Amino acid sequence: MAGKITLTIIKPTAFRNNNAGAILKMINEAGFKFKALKLVKLTSGQAGLFYSVHKDKPFYESLVQFMSSGPVITALLEKDNAVNDFRTLIGATNPEKAEKGTVRYLYGTDLQQNAVHGSDSDENAIIESDFFFSKIERF
Ligand code: IDP
Ligand code: MG
Protein backbone atom coordinates (compact mmCIF):
# COMPACT_ATOMS: atom_id res chain seq x y z
CA MET A 1 0.00 0.00 0.00
CA ALA A 2 1.27 3.47 -0.84
CA GLY A 3 2.54 5.51 2.09
CA LYS A 4 1.00 8.66 3.52
CA ILE A 5 3.98 10.98 3.75
CA THR A 6 6.32 12.87 1.47
CA LEU A 7 9.03 15.48 1.98
CA THR A 8 9.26 18.70 0.03
CA ILE A 9 11.75 21.55 -0.20
CA ILE A 10 10.93 24.95 -1.68
CA LYS A 11 14.28 25.58 -3.35
CA PRO A 12 16.39 28.75 -2.92
CA THR A 13 15.28 30.58 -6.08
CA ALA A 14 11.57 30.01 -5.46
CA PHE A 15 11.97 31.26 -1.90
CA ARG A 16 14.07 34.25 -2.96
CA ASN A 17 11.47 35.18 -5.62
CA ASN A 18 8.72 35.27 -2.98
CA ASN A 19 6.88 32.27 -4.43
CA ALA A 20 6.84 30.24 -1.20
CA GLY A 21 3.42 31.52 -0.10
CA ALA A 22 1.78 30.62 -3.42
CA ILE A 23 3.45 27.19 -3.45
CA LEU A 24 2.39 26.38 0.13
CA LYS A 25 -1.17 27.39 -0.80
CA MET A 26 -1.15 25.02 -3.81
CA ILE A 27 0.12 22.22 -1.57
CA ASN A 28 -2.65 22.83 0.96
CA GLU A 29 -5.36 23.12 -1.70
CA ALA A 30 -4.25 19.81 -3.21
CA GLY A 31 -5.17 18.14 0.07
CA PHE A 32 -1.79 17.78 1.76
CA LYS A 33 -1.56 18.43 5.52
CA PHE A 34 1.56 19.95 7.03
CA LYS A 35 3.06 17.58 9.62
CA ALA A 36 6.26 19.67 9.98
CA LEU A 37 7.52 22.91 8.41
CA LYS A 38 10.60 25.11 8.69
CA LEU A 39 12.92 27.64 7.07
CA VAL A 40 16.57 26.54 6.97
CA LYS A 41 19.78 27.31 5.10
CA LEU A 42 21.76 24.17 4.30
CA THR A 43 25.54 24.06 4.36
CA SER A 44 27.11 22.58 1.23
CA GLY A 45 27.93 19.50 3.33
CA GLN A 46 24.29 19.07 4.31
CA ALA A 47 23.05 19.62 0.73
CA GLY A 48 25.65 17.11 -0.47
CA LEU A 49 24.39 14.55 2.00
CA PHE A 50 20.75 15.14 1.10
CA TYR A 51 21.49 14.60 -2.62
CA SER A 52 24.12 11.87 -2.14
CA VAL A 53 22.16 9.50 -4.44
CA HIS A 54 23.21 11.84 -7.26
CA LYS A 55 26.89 12.08 -6.26
CA ASP A 56 28.14 10.52 -9.50
CA LYS A 57 25.98 12.70 -11.77
CA PRO A 58 27.56 15.55 -13.74
CA PHE A 59 25.17 18.07 -12.18
CA TYR A 60 25.89 17.09 -8.54
CA GLU A 61 28.41 19.81 -7.58
CA SER A 62 26.31 22.52 -9.16
CA LEU A 63 23.14 21.18 -7.51
CA VAL A 64 24.81 21.14 -4.09
CA GLN A 65 26.06 24.68 -4.58
CA PHE A 66 22.59 25.85 -5.65
CA MET A 67 20.77 24.10 -2.80
CA SER A 68 23.08 25.71 -0.23
CA SER A 69 22.91 29.18 -1.84
CA GLY A 70 20.08 30.52 0.31
CA PRO A 71 17.25 29.67 2.67
CA VAL A 72 14.76 26.95 1.77
CA ILE A 73 11.43 25.93 3.25
CA THR A 74 11.12 22.24 3.95
CA ALA A 75 7.93 20.47 4.92
CA LEU A 76 6.75 16.99 5.83
CA LEU A 77 3.41 16.42 4.13
CA GLU A 78 0.64 13.92 4.75
CA LYS A 79 -1.97 12.61 2.33
CA ASP A 80 -3.05 9.22 0.98
CA ASN A 81 -0.70 8.22 -1.84
CA ALA A 82 1.50 11.19 -0.85
CA VAL A 83 4.63 10.50 -2.94
CA ASN A 84 2.84 9.99 -6.25
CA ASP A 85 0.19 12.66 -5.74
CA PHE A 86 2.85 15.20 -4.82
CA ARG A 87 4.94 14.39 -7.89
CA THR A 88 1.80 14.89 -9.99
CA LEU A 89 1.23 18.28 -8.32
CA ILE A 90 4.80 19.47 -8.98
CA GLY A 91 5.21 18.09 -12.52
CA ALA A 92 8.24 16.88 -14.46
CA THR A 93 11.80 17.61 -13.28
CA ASN A 94 12.34 19.98 -16.21
CA PRO A 95 9.88 22.91 -15.90
CA GLU A 96 9.78 23.16 -19.70
CA LYS A 97 8.34 19.64 -19.82
CA ALA A 98 6.08 19.99 -16.78
CA GLU A 99 2.31 19.89 -17.29
CA LYS A 100 0.58 23.27 -17.35
CA GLY A 101 -0.57 24.36 -13.90
CA THR A 102 1.97 22.28 -11.98
CA VAL A 103 4.26 23.91 -9.41
CA ARG A 104 7.35 23.47 -11.56
CA TYR A 105 5.56 24.78 -14.67
CA LEU A 106 4.47 27.89 -12.77
CA TYR A 107 7.51 28.61 -10.63
CA GLY A 108 10.49 26.66 -12.00
CA THR A 109 13.03 28.70 -13.98
CA ASP A 110 15.25 25.93 -15.39
CA LEU A 111 16.10 22.25 -14.99
CA GLN A 112 18.15 22.88 -11.84
CA GLN A 113 16.10 25.71 -10.36
CA ASN A 114 12.83 23.84 -10.64
CA ALA A 115 11.16 25.40 -7.58
CA VAL A 116 10.57 22.31 -5.43
CA HIS A 117 11.82 18.92 -4.34
CA GLY A 118 9.52 15.94 -3.85
CA SER A 119 10.48 12.51 -2.49
CA ASP A 120 10.65 9.75 -5.12
CA SER A 121 9.57 6.80 -2.92
CA ASP A 122 8.00 5.97 0.44
CA GLU A 123 11.37 4.76 1.66
CA ASN A 124 13.10 8.02 0.72
CA ALA A 125 10.24 10.07 2.18
CA ILE A 126 11.09 8.56 5.57
CA ILE A 127 14.85 9.02 5.14
CA GLU A 128 14.39 12.65 4.01
CA SER A 129 11.96 13.46 6.84
CA ASP A 130 14.45 12.11 9.38
CA PHE A 131 17.14 14.26 7.75
CA PHE A 132 15.22 17.47 8.49
CA PHE A 133 12.83 16.91 11.39
CA SER A 134 13.20 15.70 14.95
CA LYS A 135 10.29 14.15 16.89
CA ILE A 136 9.34 17.40 18.62
CA GLU A 137 9.12 19.22 15.29
CA ARG A 138 6.38 16.88 13.98
CA PHE A 139 2.65 17.27 14.58
P1 IDP B 1 13.50 15.16 -9.18
O1 IDP B 1 13.77 16.38 -8.33
O2 IDP B 1 12.38 15.40 -10.17
O3 IDP B 1 13.29 13.91 -8.36
P2 IDP B 1 16.15 14.15 -9.80
O4 IDP B 1 16.51 13.40 -11.02
O5 IDP B 1 16.07 13.40 -8.50
O6 IDP B 1 14.79 14.94 -10.10
O7 IDP B 1 17.21 15.32 -9.65
C1 IDP B 1 17.34 16.05 -8.45
C2 IDP B 1 17.47 17.52 -8.79
O8 IDP B 1 18.68 17.73 -9.48
C3 IDP B 1 16.40 18.07 -9.74
O9 IDP B 1 15.21 18.44 -9.07
C4 IDP B 1 17.09 19.27 -10.35
O10 IDP B 1 17.11 20.37 -9.44
C5 IDP B 1 18.51 18.76 -10.48
N1 IDP B 1 18.78 18.14 -11.80
C6 IDP B 1 18.33 16.94 -12.26
N2 IDP B 1 18.81 16.68 -13.49
C7 IDP B 1 19.58 17.74 -13.81
C8 IDP B 1 20.39 18.06 -14.97
O11 IDP B 1 20.46 17.32 -15.95
N3 IDP B 1 21.04 19.27 -14.93
C9 IDP B 1 20.99 20.11 -13.87
N4 IDP B 1 20.26 19.83 -12.75
C10 IDP B 1 19.57 18.67 -12.74
MG1 MG C 1 14.62 12.92 -7.15
Side-chain angles (χ1 to χ4, degrees):
M1 196 188 84
K4 283 178 174 279
I5 62 158
T6 192
L7 187 285
T8 190
I9 303 173
I10 299 178
K11 298 187 180 185
T13 321
F15 180 76
R16 199 177 300 129
N17 292 343
N18 295 322
N19 290 321
I23 293 170
L24 291 172
K25 185 164 187 267
M26 283 180 76
I27 292 171
N28 245 175
E29 287 179 351
F32 293 87
K33 300 251 181 270
F34 295 103
K35 302 292 286 177
L37 180 73
K38 66 183 168 190
L39 181 64
V40 286
K41 183 169 185 292
L42 298 172
T43 63
S44 54
Q46 289 165 337
L49 212 56
F50 184 83
Y51 279 111
S52 56
V53 336
H54 294 305
K55 66 178 180 304
D56 297 326
K57 305 263 174 66
F59 60 82
Y60 177 71
E61 291 300 332
S62 166
L63 176 64
V64 166
Q65 207 255 325
F66 166 56
M67 290 301 292
S68 55
S69 67
V72 298
I73 287 179
T74 181
L76 171 55
L77 306 172
E78 185 181 71
K79 184 183 184 297
D80 285 343
N81 199 28
V83 165
N84 289 332
D85 284 2
F86 193 72
R87 290 194 71 97
T88 301
L89 177 70
I90 67 177
T93 304
N94 188 343
E96 284 177 12
K97 296 185 179 147
E99 290 264 306
K100 269 192 182 167
T102 60
V103 177
R104 283 168 163 171
Y105 175 88
L106 291 168
Y107 301 112
T109 48
D110 62 37
L111 176 54
Q112 180 178 75
Q113 303 184 45
N114 57 1
V116 284
H117 168 80
S119 306
D120 65 3
S121 65
D122 293 339
E123 188 191 4
N124 283 334
I126 292 167
I127 293 169
E128 293 172 0
S129 307
D130 291 345
F131 179 89
F132 280 113
F133 296 109
S134 70
K135 254 186 201 166
I136 62 165
E137 294 175 307
R138 299 174 189 223
F139 300 92

